[in-house]
Amino acid sequence: MELNPFEIKAEIARIINALKDEKNFDNFEVHFRTLDLQSDKKIIVKLLLKEINCSSPELIKFMLKRYCPKDELLEHLWGIIKNNLSSNQAKIFSLDLLRDIDTNWSYDECDKYLENPDEFLNSDTEKILGSAIINPEVQIDFLDFLNSLPESDKIVLLDSLANDYSNDELANMLIPVFLSEPGTELGKHALNILGNSKSHLAFHALNDYLNYADENLVPLIKKNISTLKLSGIREDNAHEFYKNLLKSSKPHKFCITYPDGHGCQAVIFSRINEFGKVRFVAVVIDDYKGVRDCFGFNEISQFECNAIIERFYRGQRAVDLKPEYLKAILLNAELSGAKMPYEYVCWRNLLSDIEPAELKTNYKAKKLSNEEFEEILKSDFTDFWFLDSDYSDEFDEFLKLLNKTSAQDYEKIIDENLEKVFFAEEYDVWTKRILNTCVLKHLSGYEKTAQNLYSLYNDKELVREFFKNIIRKSIYEYYFANKDAEKVHAIEEMWVK
């Protein structure tokens, strides 16, 4: 089975956890079977290189040698060694692996690249800071480096940058630090540096973050906005700044899936330049915590872009949207949570020249017929609308009760416990999910389905019946997953036939 990059990332984490105490990895071939079956090993290698600062370096070396051709691996390792954004730990890792695979390596040649964290800044840093504005991958490399350091060294590094740099180059590096860690000591330290950066980008980012900042942070954010104003920054021209950076490319593919049973949606946005090269970004959002995960590629071919999209969605229904609507959806996701992955903070700048559109419909609620309600229950987006065994404590308690109950009493148990599973907050999330799906159906041209979903959203009695059907499907999926043939047969007799 082909995995998308997020699933590969999870599989690597699983292997690291499973083999963290082992030494002879050749004895555990079974753990590598899933990754071995992937046709494109480049994504595996890219994600493994992100793990070189982890607590299992020997395992990462083993996997890199397994999945990366020698010539490509040598190129990657020398890139890490010569990159002043690489941590000392990452350089030592690369040197050790280089010694294993290259008999022509020279320690004298490598030694000059080893530095301590407090010696990070050198004559090339200004060049790196400048390139990071137009290349999010460079920006993310810095943030990966920062996260590899001990907490005390992180503060030292930020202060070193602040002492030597200001304006937009500095702000571009520190905005993701603040937005991804807003309530931490590091995040607040970055915030205070941004206040003194004399940067229009910082002015824009702090004003924008006020829309969803924790109330405890608001006074500190406003204080730093005032500091920026005192330095002469009074107009937000970040939009024009990024628009000018993006003028050599145009929006390419923009698409999103319908929410699944956990509210997760897979989002893709991309830009294409005059040479046909694509800047590609994939994001996972949900309606509980907003933006959950993100990865991107700064320059790939159209063929690679299409291949990743196909693997990413893997048969799941995706909706092509106009860029302005997809940006509006992502902005709503940002508002759902106060913390965003720094990868997303970097990549979202590719949307800076796009004005979000208003997400709305003009339907009027009507009474749905039985046939119209049945059509909703059979719609494609409901395929994944069920609760699994680890969904919530409330559903777990329901399953325990269910296991003590005979199949003929399931309907009674569902009716008596529905409000316990779909308690007030959960009810609110799920009803909004219905409305969000209505909007997606409207934007993709399925007006009849959109109208019916809007009517369902406004009918509390029918919503309750809809939730009962979700529980029925969840019960079926639970016993099917547990291979309880007797229960599955009884359920099919009751609800399927």
Side-chain angles (χ1 to χ4, degrees):
M1 180 179 68
E2 290 291 326
L3 303 181
N4 68 50
F6 289 113
E7 291 169 327
I8 293 173
K9 186 177 179 181
E11 182 65 12
I12 291 172
R14 183 196 66 77
I15 294 171
I16 291 173
N17 184 63
L19 303 183
K20 59 185 177 182
D21 297 322
E22 304 299 337
K23 292 184 178 180
N24 190 351
F25 307 115
D26 287 314
N27 295 334
F28 298 92
E29 285 289 315
V30 64
H31 287 283
F32 302 103
R33 285 179 182 172
T34 299
L35 294 184
D36 289 347
L37 291 172
Q38 303 307 302
S39 58
D40 184 359
K41 301 296 193 297
K42 289 184 178 180
I43 293 177
I44 299 175
V45 172
K46 182 179 179 67
L47 293 171
L48 284 172
L49 290 169
K50 295 285 187 181
E51 298 291 336
I52 61 177
N53 290 307
C54 81
S55 58
S56 301
E58 295 306 316
L59 175 57
I60 300 302
K61 291 174 188 175
F62 176 85
M63 295 172 73
L64 281 170
K65 288 188 286 186
R66 188 182 185 96
Y67 297 118
C68 189
K70 180 180 176 180
D71 289 346
E72 292 181 19
L73 185 53
L74 288 172
E75 185 178 346
H76 285 305
L77 296 176
W78 275 111
I80 293 168
I81 292 166
K82 294 179 179 181
N83 186 352
N84 68 344
L85 289 180
S86 301
S87 67
N88 218 42
Q89 181 181 345
K91 291 182 179 182
I92 292 171
F93 171 98
S94 300
L95 288 173
D96 285 344
L97 184 50
L98 192 65
R99 183 177 56 190
D100 290 343
I101 64 174
D102 184 6
T103 56
N104 297 318
W105 80 292
S106 167
Y107 183 83
D108 291 336
E109 185 180 355
C110 301
D111 186 44
K112 64 185 178 182
Y113 297 111
L114 290 174
E115 303 173 33
N116 294 318
D118 57 356
E119 297 170 350
F120 165 79
L121 294 176
N122 60 28
S123 60
D124 293 330
T125 303
E126 186 171 2
K127 179 180 178 181
I128 292 170
L129 293 178
S131 65
I133 289 181
I134 58 174
N135 186 345
E137 287 187 330
V138 176
Q139 198 178 9
I140 292 168
D141 282 344
F142 166 75
L143 294 160
D144 288 340
F145 168 81
L146 180 68
N147 279 339
S148 73
L149 301 177
E151 289 301 315
S152 58
D153 286 341
K154 292 178 183 179
I155 298 293
V156 170
L157 178 54
L158 295 194
D159 286 338
S160 297
L161 285 170
N163 288 335
D164 290 347
Y165 300 93
S166 61
N167 299 323
D168 294 336
E169 289 82 4
L170 175 65
N172 186 59
M173 287 299 204
L174 297 192
I175 287 168
V177 178
F178 167 60
L179 294 182
S180 62
E181 300 285 347
T184 66
E185 180 185 358
L186 182 69
K188 291 176 182 177
H189 200 77
L191 170 59
N192 288 326
I193 295 175
L194 287 169
N196 290 284
S197 66
K198 301 179 182 179
S199 166
H200 291 271
L201 301 186
F203 186 74
H204 168 78
L206 299 188
N207 275 292
D208 182 59
Y209 191 68
L210 280 176
N211 294 320
Y212 44 97
D214 185 279
E215 60 181 17
N216 295 326
L217 273 178
V218 169
L220 187 57
I221 296 172
K222 288 184 175 179
K223 174 187 173 182
N224 282 283
I225 290 174
S226 297
T227 303
L228 285 166
K229 288 181 178 178
L230 289 172
S231 71
I233 307 296
R234 298 187 178 276
E235 292 185 12
D236 183 355
N237 66 358
H239 177 77
E240 289 302 316
F241 177 88
Y242 285 116
K243 187 175 181 180
N244 184 58
L245 286 178
L246 296 169
K247 65 182 180 182
S248 62
S249 65
K250 62 181 180 180
H252 185 44
K253 289 184 178 293
F254 282 66
C255 41
I256 186 172
T257 59
Y258 294 106
D260 64 14
H262 287 266
C264 292
Q265 293 175 272
V267 180
I268 282 174
F269 62 89
S270 59
R271 303 182 70 93
I272 189 168
N273 65 21
E274 58 187 324
F275 305 106
K277 292 296 184 179
V278 177
R279 304 177 84 180
F280 173 93
V281 185
V283 187
V284 172
I285 63 175
D286 72 22
D287 44 21
Y288 292 93
K289 296 182 179 179
V291 181
R292 300 295 299 270
D293 206 350
C294 176
F295 75 91
F297 302 106
N298 194 55
E299 190 175 280
I300 58 176
S301 68
Q302 292 185 60
F303 175 81
E304 289 172 313
C305 174
N306 293 334
I308 295 172
I309 289 176
E310 182 178 354
R311 185 184 305 181
F312 189 59
Y313 289 137
R314 204 169 56 226
Q316 192 174 356
R317 181 71 179 277
V319 179
D320 291 317
L321 290 183
K322 293 181 179 179
E324 56 267 30
Y325 289 117
L326 193 65
K327 181 168 181 178
I329 291 172
L330 286 172
L331 287 176
N332 285 341
E334 291 178 19
L335 290 170
S336 299
K339 181 176 179 179
M340 296 178 282
Y342 61 75
E343 294 90 347
Y344 174 75
V345 177
C346 299
W347 285 111
R348 69 172 180 163
N349 289 333
L350 298 188
L351 303 173
S352 296
D353 61 342
I354 297 169
E355 290 295 331
E358 187 177 359
L359 297 170
K360 65 176 184 179
T361 62
N362 295 312
Y363 302 119
K364 293 183 179 179
K366 65 171 188 175
K367 184 66 177 177
L368 291 178
S369 67
N370 291 336
E371 290 77 13
E372 289 170 329
F373 182 62
E374 285 295 324
E375 285 181 11
I376 291 176
L377 297 182
K378 296 175 183 177
S379 294
D380 53 2
F381 64 85
T382 67
D383 290 346
F384 302 98
W385 282 26
F386 59 86
L387 317 181
D388 52 35
S389 56
D390 59 353
Y391 183 84
S392 67
D393 292 340
E394 291 77 13
F395 187 60
D396 184 56
E397 290 299 316
F398 175 81
L399 290 177
K400 290 177 182 177
L401 180 63
L402 196 72
N403 287 326
K404 301 175 184 177
T405 306
S406 59
Q408 60 264 31
D409 292 326
Y410 283 175
E411 284 291 346
K412 179 183 177 182
I413 296 298
I414 292 171
D415 188 64
E416 291 175 349
N417 291 274
L418 192 68
E419 279 70 28
K420 293 179 182 177
V421 176
F422 289 100
F423 52 93
E425 292 83 357
E426 192 76 359
Y427 179 93
D428 185 56
V429 168
W430 274 88
T431 50
K432 287 181 180 177
R433 194 174 298 169
I434 294 171
L435 185 60
N436 291 340
T437 305
C438 162
V439 172
L440 284 178
K441 285 294 183 182
H442 165 66
L443 293 176
S444 54
Y446 293 94
E447 295 295 339
K448 181 181 177 181
T449 303
Q451 167 67 72
N452 290 344
L453 285 168
Y454 184 80
S455 298
L456 172 62
Y457 169 76
N458 286 279
D459 189 330
K460 290 187 176 180
E461 183 178 339
L462 211 52
V463 165
R464 191 176 192 276
E465 186 58 39
F466 184 75
F467 288 168
K468 287 172 71 174
N469 193 74
I470 290 174
I471 295 293
R472 293 187 190 105
K473 184 183 291 187
S474 303
I475 294 171
Y476 178 81
E477 294 289 344
Y478 170 72
Y479 284 118
F480 186 84
N482 284 281
K483 300 180 180 180
D484 190 328
E486 183 179 345
K487 289 288 181 69
V488 168
H489 177 73
I491 290 168
E492 289 177 343
E493 288 292 320
M494 287 190 300
W495 295 332
V496 179
K497 294 184 178 180

